[in-house]
Amino acid sequence: MSIMQANERQTFRAKELRDRVGDTEITRMLAVALAMGADRGLKEELRGLAGATAGSAFAVSQPGQDVWLTVEADRVVAARHKSEGIALVEGETLRANGRTVARAMAGALARSTALADATKLIGPLLGPAETPSRQEFAALLPWAPALEQVAYKTAASIAVTLDLLRAHIVPSLHAGMPVPSHLLRQYWQRMHAAAQFFLLASDAAASPWLGEMARQFDWVNWTPSFTLLRERTTWLAACAARSAAAFGEPVVACYLAKLEAAPHPFKAFDALFGLAAIALGNPALAPAIAAELRVLQRLADAASTPSPFVRRACLDAIEVIEGTADWAGGGSAEVEALGWKDAKAGLASEVALRTDPALVTQADHVLGFAILPTAFETPVAHFNPGGAVRRRVRQSTPLDVVAEVVLGAWAPPAPRAGRVLH
């Protein structure tokens, strides 16, 4: 091993997610929110800025967001809009008193257990297990309005590290050479951690800022669904669907343009999948999306002979959007084979963790569309395993399966008919 390789290996080890929870932006943001309720000194400093009377509730604006933290006697509540009838600490007031507020926050974090408590809440989303428990994820949902923007930022940052790790993994897999186990574990851990943070930012009320963010991105190698869908597992596809749906109407035109110019069948699949997800998550948009897809399908048929896979995916997407896909959803053999019949087990079944959503089933439908109705019938709060399912404390997927999934995602065979279960 060269010195450079040895240094890179140590870098990846030093940056293992579970060792850095307390240093993440999202953990510190949550810690400050917890400290507002737990630390008397911080609470009274903010109360004074709000001009609130002793013991009364007040609300604090969150920088860069239309989000407010309402501080009550014994709790802090996150909301997307300011509360009526209570004293407020507006953003302008926070900026004008920045140094004082910063000192008060630093002191509160030093005196209280807020940072440790926030680390305990955020940690399960970062692994090393593929998923947190349903209860662990649910504990963060009340904070979602305040955390969702930084949650999405966290997911995107993790995705960048996947690109870096991939350069160390995929060439060796292509060559049939062994890959260090810690690299495979890191890759698997990070792709699933990213999914959890995307889910945390998938509420429909997040659409305004998500849509604005999407307009600033280059849609060459990015769509709201592509980051997770390209990893080619059905579990991540379900997470991608809920994330894409949250973007809503602002990204429909971008997805349609992406579909029309797609240079590769999988890019077309991603566009169709994202559009179907938006339609299911926003039923009022479904008729218009289906109509646009029918027009594009006719134009493609007239201009050339489309890929059989893309044509199949387009037909499947339209049927799912229009609600005529009797082959999709909870009654389908594919959903049953994925182990999604047991509501307590959630959607992160062992089969879903390894099965390609671009697989064409023996019933001649693309698996990703067969699972979409179930992904939207299942509340995001129930995606992860319930209390009756044994809590995973480490990665449960064998490394040979991880290697097979990664190789399949980044050197995939042409889609073909097959079974969900191997």
Side-chain angles (χ1 to χ4, degrees), residues 48-64:
L49 293 176
T53 58
S56 63
F58 61 93
V60 183
S61 174
Q62 295 303 285

Side-chain angles (χ1 to χ4, degrees), residues 1-13 182:
M1 179 185 298
S2 69
I3 294 176
M4 181 177 295
Q5 289 174 321
N7 288 340
E8 288 169 342
R9 180 174 178 177
Q10 290 302 319
T11 297
F12 284 127
R13 282 183 170 174
H182 73 277

Side-chain angles (χ1 to χ4, degrees), residues 261-286:
H264 187 278
F266 192 83
K267 291 290 186 73
F269 170 55
D270 172 65
L272 289 163
F273 186 85
L275 288 164
I278 292 170
L280 266 62
N282 306 267
L285 300 175

Side-chain angles (χ1 to χ4, degrees), residues 17-18 21 27 118-128 132 140 391:
L17 296 181
R18 65 176 178 268
V21 180
T27 300
T119 298
K120 186 175 180 180
L121 286 167
I122 296 293
L125 273 64
L126 288 165
L140 286 168
R391 166 78 168 90

Side-chain angles (χ1 to χ4, degrees), residues 32-240:
V32 168
L34 293 173
M36 286 183 189
D39 185 80
R40 182 177 178 180
L42 176 59
K43 186 185 297 186
E44 293 309 312
E45 183 71 40
L46 293 171
R47 189 190 305 279
L49 293 176
T53 58
S56 63
F58 61 93
V60 183
S61 174
Q62 295 303 285
Q65 306 181 64
D66 185 19
V67 173
W68 295 79
L69 294 177
T70 300
V71 183
E72 301 176 351
D74 58 354
R75 64 173 186 161
V76 178
V77 179
R80 290 185 173 83
H81 304 288
K82 66 175 68 175
S83 300
E84 298 294 334
I86 65 173
L88 303 174
V89 183
E90 302 271 6
E92 184 176 340
T93 302
L94 288 173
R95 288 189 291 273
N97 296 273
R99 290 185 178 179
T100 300
V101 173
R103 283 196 298 268
M105 288 182 175
L109 292 178
R111 289 188 298 269
S112 71
T113 62
L115 187 56
D117 294 341
T119 298
K120 186 175 180 180
L121 286 167
I122 296 293
L125 273 64
L126 288 165
E130 286 86 346
T131 66
S133 71
R134 186 172 301 171
Q135 292 74 19
E136 288 167 334
F137 187 84
L140 286 168
L141 288 178
W143 299 103
L147 298 179
E148 60 192 13
Q149 290 194 29
V150 71
Y152 199 96
K153 178 181 176 181
T154 301
S157 297
I158 293 173
V160 171
T161 71
L162 291 178
D163 294 337
L164 298 174
L165 280 166
R166 200 176 298 121
H168 295 263
I169 294 173
V170 173
S172 294
L173 291 177
H174 282 173
M177 298 172 59
V179 177
S181 60
H182 73 277
L183 293 184
L184 287 172
R185 290 194 184 97
Q186 277 289 298
Y187 194 91
W188 198 247
Q189 177 181 351
R190 288 166 187 261
M191 63 191 261
H192 290 97
Q196 295 296 326
F197 288 107
F198 281 131
L199 282 179
L200 193 58
S202 66
D203 192 283
S207 179
W209 69 261
L210 285 171
E212 178 61 30
M213 179 186 68
R215 284 189 282 271
Q216 300 173 24
F217 283 174
D218 184 346
W219 280 60
V220 174
N221 286 313
W222 181 88
T223 72
S225 49
F226 189 63
T227 299
L228 294 180
L229 193 64
R230 67 181 178 176
E231 300 297 345
R232 307 289 281 267
T233 81
T234 306
W235 157 247
L236 294 181
C239 298

Side-chain angles (χ1 to χ4, degrees), residues 331-398:
S332 69
E334 286 75 22
V335 167
E336 184 173 355
L338 286 168
W340 287 6
K341 287 288 189 179
D342 184 357
K344 293 181 180 179
L347 303 186
S349 66
E350 290 186 9
V351 180
L353 289 172
R354 68 170 187 254
T355 304
D356 188 350
L359 178 149
V360 179
T361 70
Q362 289 194 338
D364 197 29
H365 295 289
V366 179
L367 178 62
F369 297 107
I371 62 98
L372 271 179
T374 301
F376 283 91
E377 290 164 4
T378 305
V380 164
H382 293 173
F383 266 42
N384 291 306
V389 179
R390 185 177 180 183
R391 166 78 168 90
R392 295 168 176 159
V393 296
R394 58 178 61 87
Q395 289 180 11
S396 62
T397 308

